[in-house]
Amino acid sequence: MERAFFGSNDCGFSDEGFADEESDTVRNPPRGRYISLEMKKCKEPTLEAWIEPVFEIKNKGRSLQKQRSKHHKRSKSGGGSGGGPNRGNSAVVCVNGVPGIGKTELALEFAHRYSQRYKAVMWVGGEARYFRQNILNLSVKLGLDVSAESEKERGRIRGFDEQEFDAFQRVKRELFRDVPYLLVIDNLETEKEWWEGKDLHDLIPRNTGATHVVITTRLSKVMSFESMQLPTLSSPESMALMRGWRMKDYPPKEADVLCKFDERLGRLSFGLWVVGSLLSEFSIPPSALFEAVEKISTAASENSNLAFAADDGFFRNNVFLSKLLLFCFAVLDQRSLALQMAYVGAWFAPSPVSAAQLAAAANKLPAKKSEWKTCLKMSCLAPQARKDEVESALLLARLGLARRTDDHIQFHPITQAFARRRGGVQTAKATVLGVRKLASPVTCADHVWASAFLVFGFKSEPPLVQLKPVDMVGFIKKTAVPLAVNSYAKFSRCNAALELLKVCTNVLEEAEKSFVSQIQDFRRGGGGAWCWRGGLRSNGRGVDEYVWRDVTLLKAVLMETRAKLLLRGGLFDGAEELCRTCISIRTVMLGHAHAQTLAAQETLAKLVRLRSKI
């Protein structure tokens, strides 16, 4: 990457510190875990790593001006961004490789080492469902206002496509200009954007200005971008990772066992780091760990309640890694909260999550007996008392299953995939209930979206979690509706907000049909007439009239909210139909003089006035 961006492997840095080639300032290397760019050695690892780092340069004046001057000179000479023949002037580098090989670690190391060259480092998750929102989240770090109200043109109502396009254009204009930023797109899953189907070139222009872009991905090739296939670690690098953060030296016999780990794991950086973490955490010899892992049956890892074709293929090809992760889960079972947090963490968005949120979701899981007693017979791993949520989260990081920063942790994608296969639908439902309890659509939008994907499903994907009517009403009212409003108002995500509200309406209509079916069954059984104000009991089973009332009124709220959004986009016909239906529902349920009925009538009147002005 140094050669691609700067034209030389030697960019003014030494092993003792990192310095800009035109600055006397030297910053000592952080004690973080990373792999050197030259892949010659592995630095001393610790428990912490960077999560969505943003680095600010203190002395931006003279150094930043020199960077801009260099960029202008390169642009004039024809060697700027793009895929020209000069590899030393490429602005976009794509790092590809198999899962767990260390692509993210390489990007983290590059961001650490060369942060002084950039005004800021922007870290963006490239997972398909969250990629669009992650890009718009950069507007906050860049100090931009991309809300639906910003730059509103007077006398003309803009369509939804125009509003979303304008929001992205503002981010692109700031990000790709003559100010040097480093944009890291980590774990890009597809070349096409998931929501709209647009390709990556709609985000990254051919001329990226002074900004450099690093893309890490499993894809063999990403469009026409320059790609770099990441090789496996060398034998000395593998041994250094397995020595763990204690950097312990082992006798020759134990070193031979480490070589067995290296061979069985296929030199995947993730697996090697987990081995080193286990050896450092429990101070056990490699031979004892290898023997314990070998005794674990792979059949235990096949008790999956869900079928994920891609994940299943990966774990079938990495059987020993599956055994190693099973051993880690056996260790976590000695502290039950940590194991439950690992299970529910599999369904959160691939971004940092607080220990409190994980604990809230974990507490929704039913208690059950340990399934790992036969896996552990080592005295050093005796059962311990239940730890609090922070210590449980730290244990996940110490075992190498996640990274941590402050009171947040981020699970490794392989950890999440393995936990999904182990936990099943029950853990997914606990995640939804935990998100509903603590997560805010404003501060934790990505995790709230993750719960919405589980409950509703989008496009051709079916919902995974089935909620009771009363829980569904609470989830839509307290989680889904605020999420849709925030996505539109703060980030101009018009189509996503409307899609979410539409899906919620469809779910409530299905719930209404279920209630009507129960009432009809009751009447056919000789139960007589029924009124929602009275109640219904049949053979000990009840139709909760209050829940039915809440479902109907909540559907009216969704219709009014959708009508207001359609009104903002100039779609008057659809808005009028929804608004009139909302008024009809509220008139029947609440009366024509109720405040909510009058509010819907005012929305309809506003719609008529705006239409008359066009």
Side-chain angles (χ1 to χ4, degrees):
M1 281 192 286
E2 301 104 317
R3 181 183 298 275
F5 288 153
F6 310 126
S8 173
N9 284 333
D10 184 8
C11 298
F13 293 90
S14 64
D15 291 339
E16 288 75 21
F18 307 141
D20 189 271
E21 61 182 354
E22 297 176 346
S23 173
D24 295 332
T25 303
V26 178
R27 178 169 60 88
N28 290 329
R31 293 174 57 83
R33 175 172 64 92
Y34 55 85
I35 302 170
S36 65
L37 293 179
E38 291 80 7
M39 305 298 289
K40 294 179 180 178
K41 60 183 178 179
C42 181
K43 303 293 184 181
E44 180 180 358
T46 64
L47 299 179
E48 294 194 27
W50 290 89
I51 303 296
E52 295 190 357
V54 177
F55 304 97
E56 296 292 342
I57 300 177
K58 295 182 179 179
N59 51 347
K60 299 178 183 176
R62 180 180 177 185
S63 178
L64 185 58
Q65 185 62 37
K66 290 181 179 180
Q67 293 288 343
R68 292 180 179 177
S69 300
K70 283 187 173 184
H71 166 70
H72 288 308
K73 290 179 181 179
R74 288 198 302 267
S75 299
K76 291 180 180 180
S77 63
S81 58
N86 187 355
R87 291 174 56 89
N89 291 321
S90 177
V92 181
V93 171
C94 178
V95 181
N96 52 40
V98 298
I101 199 172
K103 302 181 294 295
T104 300
E105 297 297 331
L106 182 65
L108 286 169
E109 160 64 359
F110 184 86
H112 269 292
R113 178 171 292 196
Y114 296 106
S115 62
Q116 291 184 2
R117 288 177 171 266
Y118 303 98
K119 179 181 179 181
V121 176
M122 304 293 180
W123 195 276
V124 174
E127 293 78 11
R129 291 179 172 181
Y130 308 96
F131 185 49
R132 191 177 187 87
Q133 182 63 55
N134 290 340
I135 293 296
L136 289 174
N137 287 342
L138 295 180
S139 62
V140 179
K141 299 176 182 179
L142 294 171
L144 301 176
D145 182 10
V146 296
S147 64
E149 293 293 338
S150 65
E151 299 184 10
K152 185 177 181 180
E153 298 181 19
R154 297 182 179 180
R156 186 171 73 89
I157 297 178
R158 298 184 299 165
F160 290 147
D161 291 338
E162 184 180 354
Q163 293 182 42
E164 292 200 31
F165 177 79
D166 182 67
F168 270 92
Q169 283 297 107
R170 274 177 275 174
V171 175
K172 288 172 61 176
R173 282 195 298 266
E174 175 62 28
L175 194 58
F176 301 114
R177 59 190 184 98
D178 60 346
V179 176
Y181 291 106
L182 175 62
L183 174 63
V184 180
I185 302 176
D186 187 35
N187 194 26
L188 182 69
E189 290 183 345
T190 176
E191 295 179 350
K192 295 290 184 179
E193 194 269 332
W194 190 78
W195 285 95
E196 302 294 334
K198 298 178 180 179
D199 60 38
L200 203 58
H201 281 306
D202 292 328
L203 168 66
I204 303 176
R206 294 185 180 275
N207 182 8
T208 62
T211 296
H212 290 158
V213 182
V214 176
I215 302 174
T216 69
T217 180
R218 303 178 186 182
L219 303 175
S220 59
K221 184 176 178 59
V222 179
M223 298 188 177
S224 59
F225 297 139
E226 178 182 351
S227 62
M228 181 182 72
Q229 182 71 34
L230 190 63
T232 57
L233 300 178
S234 64
S235 180
E237 292 166 346
S238 300
M239 297 297 290
L241 270 183
M242 288 186 289
R243 288 171 61 193
W245 52 269
R246 294 183 185 274
M247 301 299 292
K248 184 177 180 180
D249 292 324
Y250 292 101
K253 288 186 177 181
E254 297 297 336
D256 292 339
V257 177
L258 291 181
C259 292
K260 292 182 180 180
F261 273 114
D262 185 23
E263 180 183 357
R264 298 291 296 276
L265 290 171
R267 289 191 177 173
L268 285 180
S269 300
F270 171 69
L272 298 175
W273 174 245
V274 171
V275 171
S277 300
L278 289 170
L279 295 176
S280 298
E281 177 69 15
F282 301 109
S283 299
I284 55 178
S287 57
L289 177 61
F290 188 85
E291 181 181 358
V293 173
E294 279 283 55
K295 288 182 179 179
I296 296 178
S297 172
T298 55
S301 64
E302 297 175 357
N303 295 330
S304 175
N305 296 321
L306 301 172
F308 294 94
D311 296 340
D312 289 343
F314 173 79
F315 288 109
R316 279 197 303 269
N317 295 330
N318 295 273
V319 177
F320 193 78
L321 178 61
S322 298
K323 288 186 175 184
L324 183 64
L325 292 176
L326 281 170
F327 181 84
C328 290
F329 276 46
V331 173
L332 295 177
D333 195 39
Q334 308 306 301
R335 302 174 182 177
S336 58
L337 179 59
L339 178 62
Q340 292 172 337
M341 291 170 72
Y343 278 141
V344 298
W347 302 101
F348 278 86
S351 59
V353 56
S354 69
Q357 290 175 348
L358 286 172
N363 290 332
K364 299 296 182 179
L365 287 173
K368 63 179 181 179
K369 292 184 178 180
S370 172
E371 57 179 312
W372 305 101
K373 289 184 178 179
T374 58
C375 296
L376 293 180
K377 294 183 179 179
M378 302 171 60
S379 59
C380 61
L381 301 180
Q384 302 183 32
R386 180 186 178 94
K387 301 295 182 180
D388 63 19
E389 56 195 39
V390 175
E391 291 182 344
S392 297
L394 292 181
L395 177 61
L396 293 169
R398 291 201 302 270
L399 295 185
L401 302 177
R403 298 187 185 93
R404 74 176 177 91
T405 172
D406 298 329
D407 60 340
H408 287 66
I409 65 172
Q410 180 170 351
F411 288 95
H412 194 283
I414 295 179
T415 304
Q416 286 189 302
F418 185 80
R420 282 195 296 267
R421 298 174 74 244
R422 289 294 310 165
V425 178
Q426 191 176 43
T427 58
K429 184 175 182 179
T431 300
V432 171
L433 297 177
V435 168
R436 174 192 165 189
K437 181 178 180 180
L438 283 186
S440 167
V442 177
T443 59
C444 304
D446 46 358
H447 299 308
V448 179
W449 272 112
S451 65
F453 291 135
L454 293 173
V455 173
F456 303 120
F458 283 84
K459 298 186 177 182
S460 60
E461 299 179 5
L464 190 62
V465 174
Q466 300 292 334
L467 296 179
K468 297 178 181 179
V470 62
D471 293 329
M472 180 64 74
V473 169
F475 182 82
I476 293 176
K477 184 184 299 184
K478 297 181 180 179
T479 304
V481 173
L483 175 63
V485 173
N486 179 73
S487 298
Y488 174 77
K490 188 175 181 179
F491 297 105
S492 297
R493 292 196 63 191
C494 316
N495 294 319
L498 285 173
E499 180 68 18
L500 178 57
L501 293 174
K502 182 180 179 180
V503 170
C504 291
T505 304
N506 295 339
V507 169
L508 293 181
E509 288 178 347
E510 290 297 324
E512 277 189 322
K513 292 179 182 179
S514 176
F515 281 125
V516 171
S517 176
Q518 293 181 54
I519 295 170
Q520 291 175 346
D521 292 343
F522 174 76
R523 297 184 65 178
R524 281 195 295 267
W530 180 84
C531 175
W532 68 267
R533 295 181 184 274
L536 173 65
R537 291 286 171 182
S538 175
N539 298 327
R541 299 175 59 186
V543 175
D544 193 333
E545 66 273 16
Y546 298 105
V547 175
W548 186 27
R549 182 175 184 270
D550 288 343
V551 166
T552 305
L553 291 177
L554 182 56
K555 188 175 76 169
V557 172
L558 291 172
M559 289 182 172
E560 183 182 21
T561 306
R562 289 171 60 191
K564 290 179 179 179
L565 293 184
L566 292 175
L567 181 62
R568 298 283 293 273
L571 302 177
F572 298 109
D573 293 339
E576 181 178 357
E577 180 181 356
L578 290 171
C579 202
R580 292 188 182 278
T581 305
C582 172
I583 293 173
S584 300
I585 293 175
R586 288 178 175 173
T587 300
V588 173
M589 302 294 292
L590 303 174
H592 67 277
H594 194 275
Q596 294 184 17
T597 307
L598 296 177
Q601 292 174 348
E602 176 60 29
T603 302
L604 180 61
K606 180 180 179 180
L607 185 152
V608 174
R609 289 195 301 269
L610 287 176
R611 174 181 281 175
S612 64
K613 294 180 180 180
I614 297 179

